[in-house]
Amino acid sequence: MSEELESMKRRFRCPNETKKELVVEVLSGYRTEIVARKHGMSPRTLSQWVRQYQDEVGDLMKKKQNDAEKMKQNAANFKELEKKYNDAMKLLGEKELENSILRDLVKKKYPDWK
Protein backbone atom coordinates (compact mmCIF):
# COMPACT_ATOMS: atom_id res chain seq x y z
CA MET A 1 0.00 0.00 0.00
CA SER A 2 2.80 2.45 0.83
CA GLU A 3 4.30 1.77 -2.60
CA GLU A 4 1.03 2.89 -4.19
CA LEU A 5 1.08 6.13 -2.19
CA GLU A 6 4.69 6.75 -3.16
CA SER A 7 3.93 6.23 -6.82
CA MET A 8 0.91 8.55 -6.60
CA LYS A 9 3.04 11.36 -5.13
CA ARG A 10 4.96 13.11 -7.81
CA ARG A 11 7.86 15.26 -6.80
CA PHE A 12 8.49 18.37 -8.85
CA ARG A 13 12.23 18.53 -9.28
CA CYS A 14 14.10 21.37 -10.87
CA PRO A 15 17.31 23.35 -10.37
CA ASN A 16 17.44 26.07 -7.71
CA GLU A 17 17.76 28.78 -10.39
CA THR A 18 14.48 27.62 -11.94
CA LYS A 19 12.84 27.62 -8.52
CA LYS A 20 14.04 31.17 -7.97
CA GLU A 21 12.67 32.28 -11.35
CA LEU A 22 9.25 30.90 -10.40
CA VAL A 23 9.48 32.71 -7.05
CA VAL A 24 10.26 35.94 -8.93
CA GLU A 25 7.12 35.45 -11.02
CA VAL A 26 5.04 35.16 -7.86
CA LEU A 27 6.74 38.12 -6.19
CA SER A 28 6.21 40.17 -9.37
CA GLY A 29 2.49 40.02 -8.78
CA TYR A 30 1.27 36.80 -10.35
CA ARG A 31 -0.92 34.54 -8.22
CA THR A 32 0.84 31.48 -6.85
CA GLU A 33 -1.88 29.16 -8.14
CA ILE A 34 -1.61 30.54 -11.68
CA VAL A 35 2.18 30.24 -11.82
CA ALA A 36 2.10 26.75 -10.31
CA ARG A 37 -0.53 25.42 -12.71
CA LYS A 38 1.24 27.04 -15.66
CA HIS A 39 4.33 25.01 -14.82
CA GLY A 40 2.45 21.83 -13.86
CA MET A 41 3.20 21.85 -10.18
CA SER A 42 1.44 22.11 -6.85
CA PRO A 43 0.66 25.60 -5.55
CA ARG A 44 1.66 24.36 -2.10
CA THR A 45 5.15 23.47 -3.34
CA LEU A 46 5.52 26.87 -4.98
CA SER A 47 4.37 28.61 -1.80
CA GLN A 48 7.07 26.75 0.11
CA TRP A 49 9.65 27.87 -2.43
CA VAL A 50 8.48 31.47 -2.12
CA ARG A 51 9.01 31.34 1.65
CA GLN A 52 12.36 29.61 1.15
CA TYR A 53 13.82 31.82 -1.59
CA GLN A 54 12.14 35.23 -1.30
CA ASP A 55 15.19 36.77 0.40
CA GLU A 56 17.56 35.44 -2.28
CA VAL A 57 15.85 36.67 -5.45
CA GLY A 58 16.48 40.42 -5.18
CA ASP A 59 19.07 40.43 -7.97
CA LEU A 60 16.86 38.32 -10.22
CA MET A 61 13.91 40.68 -9.64
CA LYS A 62 16.07 43.70 -10.52
CA LYS A 63 17.25 41.96 -13.68
CA LYS A 64 13.66 41.15 -14.70
CA GLN A 65 12.59 44.75 -14.02
CA ASN A 66 15.52 46.06 -16.09
CA ASP A 67 14.65 43.65 -18.89
CA ALA A 68 11.03 44.79 -18.80
CA GLU A 69 12.13 48.44 -18.93
CA LYS A 70 14.43 47.75 -21.88
CA MET A 71 11.59 45.96 -23.65
CA LYS A 72 9.34 49.01 -23.17
CA GLN A 73 12.06 51.29 -24.55
CA ASN A 74 12.62 48.96 -27.50
CA ALA A 75 8.89 48.90 -28.19
CA ALA A 76 8.78 52.71 -28.17
CA ASN A 77 11.81 52.87 -30.48
CA PHE A 78 10.21 50.31 -32.77
CA LYS A 79 7.00 52.35 -33.00
CA GLU A 80 9.02 55.45 -33.85
CA LEU A 81 11.07 53.63 -36.49
CA GLU A 82 7.94 52.03 -37.92
CA LYS A 83 6.35 55.49 -38.32
CA LYS A 84 9.48 56.86 -40.00
CA TYR A 85 9.60 53.83 -42.31
CA ASN A 86 5.95 54.25 -43.29
CA ASP A 87 6.48 57.97 -43.95
CA ALA A 88 9.55 57.19 -46.10
CA MET A 89 7.64 54.53 -48.05
CA LYS A 90 4.82 57.00 -48.68
CA LEU A 91 7.30 59.60 -49.96
CA LEU A 92 9.01 56.99 -52.13
CA GLY A 93 5.66 55.99 -53.61
CA GLU A 94 4.85 59.62 -54.37
CA LYS A 95 8.25 60.11 -56.03
CA GLU A 96 7.82 56.96 -58.13
CA LEU A 97 4.39 58.16 -59.24
CA GLU A 98 5.81 61.59 -60.05
CA ASN A 99 8.65 60.03 -62.09
CA SER A 100 6.20 57.81 -63.96
CA ILE A 101 4.02 60.81 -64.84
CA LEU A 102 7.04 62.81 -65.99
CA ARG A 103 8.30 59.84 -68.04
CA ASP A 104 4.90 59.56 -69.74
CA LEU A 105 4.88 63.29 -70.52
CA VAL A 106 8.38 63.11 -72.01
CA LYS A 107 7.36 60.09 -74.14
CA LYS A 108 4.33 61.94 -75.46
CA LYS A 109 6.35 65.00 -76.38
CA TYR A 110 9.38 63.03 -77.67
CA PRO A 111 8.12 59.59 -78.84
CA ASP A 112 11.61 58.47 -79.95
CA TRP A 113 13.13 59.10 -76.50
CA LYS A 114 14.13 56.01 -74.51
Side-chain angles (χ1 to χ4, degrees):
M1 183 91 160
S2 65
E3 287 180 32
E4 287 179 28
L5 287 175
E6 283 299 316
S7 66
M8 288 177 63
K9 273 187 178 179
R10 194 185 97 208
R11 295 189 55 84
F12 191 87
R13 298 184 190 276
C14 64
N16 283 344
E17 284 306 310
T18 303
K19 290 177 184 179
K20 289 177 182 179
E21 288 178 17
L22 296 177
V23 169
V24 166
E25 272 190 67
V26 172
L27 295 177
S28 296
Y30 292 98
R31 291 188 49 204
T32 304
E33 296 82 13
I34 302 291
V35 175
R37 296 295 176 217
K38 177 176 143 186
H39 296 284
M41 62 184 296
S42 162
R44 185 169 174 231
T45 301
L46 185 54
S47 294
Q48 290 171 347
W49 291 354
V50 169
R51 284 190 296 279
Q52 181 179 357
Y53 293 109
Q54 66 185 355
D55 295 335
E56 299 177 30
V57 295
D59 291 339
L60 241 139
M61 294 221 20
K62 285 180 189 172
K63 182 182 180 301
K64 285 216 181 246
Q65 288 171 346
N66 288 342
D67 290 348
E69 194 60 39
K70 284 180 187 175
M71 197 176 294
K72 286 179 187 176
Q73 289 173 349
N74 288 342
N77 289 343
F78 176 77
K79 290 277 188 199
E80 184 181 327
L81 288 173
E82 187 176 39
K83 184 182 180 331
K84 287 180 180 180
Y85 173 81
N86 288 335
D87 291 346
M89 292 305 291
K90 182 180 174 186
L91 284 173
L92 180 63
E94 290 172 358
K95 291 297 176 189
E96 286 179 353
L97 179 62
E98 187 178 308
N99 285 342
S100 176
I101 291 170
L102 289 172
R103 213 175 287 118
D104 287 346
L105 285 173
V106 168
K107 282 182 184 179
K108 284 181 182 176
K109 186 157 181 148
Y110 304 102
D112 293 338
W113 187 74
K114 293 183 182 178

